[in-house]
Amino acid sequence: MLIQRPAASRGHTHAGWLDSRHSFSFGHYHDPQWTGFGALRVLNEDRVAPAAGFAEHGHANMEILSWVLQGALAHRDSTGAGGVIRPGELQRMSAGHGIRHSEMNATRDAPVHFLQIWLQPDRSNREPGYAQQGFAAETLAQGWTLLAAPADDAGDSALPLHAMARVWAWRPVAAAQAVLVLRAPRAWLQVARGALLANAIALDTGDGLGLRDERRLDVRVPAAADLLLLELL
């Protein structure tokens, strides 16, 4: 089964410094038809103005990922961890039994544009933690690249994840086609940029596609694109 989520149908928060689009219910936006997809609870597309951002606040019992599309995002948290995340880098914050953090635009001259993903953790009340990892542009352009997965499945190149999910990215730079065999009963494809066909469904920038009990994902991309896929185990 294929479930389409057109970009224009998403929730929207505009706060001057923040322009955020919500694929699922979040904050003041609530749609009972869109409260999550398996372990995927939140998928926001955020644009944050220069020198602005999310001031320190708290979370618990959630795996939170940030995938930067453009600009630079500065992270600080109560474990003492911090870093600046740029395009091609994935941030994982395990909120565990409780963490406080801030996410700020690291520059004063350009917006930062990123996807924020919340996943239900595999168990509650872990120790909070933080990690980030970069992926070469050449690798991301070649085909689906595994960004994060449960520790037993992550190998040497992907971030270990405390959630039953695998996270993939693909950034084709020219006309391309790729088939990914799906090993999970659910998956979510998010089009960050570009137009494409996914299992014969036409998608454009900002669109999402839920896959339920599909055995494979066949993507055909006529031009440059930026894609994120979550396999939900």
Side-chain angles (χ1 to χ4, degrees), residues 4 9 21-22 29 39 44 54 57 75-76 90 101 111 118 128 149 169-170 180 221-222:
Q4 291 183 253
S9 71
R21 306 282 172 166
H22 315 300
Y29 167 67
N44 292 344
F54 301 92
H57 60 287
H75 170 89
R76 296 289 181 272
L90 181 71
H101 75 117
W118 293 14
W170 183 26
L180 182 66
V221 185

Side-chain angles (χ1 to χ4, degrees), residues 110-127:
V112 59
H113 180 198
F114 64 103
L115 298 179
Q116 181 184 142
I117 300 119
W118 293 14
L119 293 164
Q120 185 175 340
D122 54 9
R123 64 177 174 86
S124 298
N125 297 325
R126 286 182 175 273
E127 284 295 315

Side-chain angles (χ1 to χ4, degrees), residues 23-107:
S23 294
F24 304 102
S25 296
F26 182 82
H28 296 297
Y29 167 67
H30 179 73
D31 183 337
Q33 300 298 315
W34 294 98
T35 58
F37 193 72
L40 177 58
R41 314 308 299 170
V42 169
L43 200 163
N44 292 344
E45 180 184 3
D46 291 342
R47 289 177 171 85
V48 175
F54 301 92
E56 185 178 289
H57 60 287
H59 295 290
N61 291 318
M62 197 65 65
E63 287 284 280
I64 300 176
L65 306 176
S66 296
W67 179 242
V68 173
L69 305 171
Q70 186 176 14
L73 184 70
H75 170 89
R76 296 289 181 272
D77 69 46
S78 54
T79 71
V84 176
I85 306 96
R86 295 180 171 85
E89 296 180 330
L90 181 71
Q91 172 199 101
R92 186 214 74 215
M93 185 180 74
S94 301
H97 58 64
I99 195 170
R100 296 189 65 79
H101 75 117
S102 64
E103 307 292 333
M104 307 295 292
N105 188 331
T107 71

Side-chain angles (χ1 to χ4, degrees), residues 130-149:
Y130 176 83
Q132 70 182 72
Q133 189 158 323
F135 299 86
E138 296 81 3
T139 301
L140 292 169
Q142 288 173 2
W144 288 110
T145 301
L146 185 64
L147 305 184

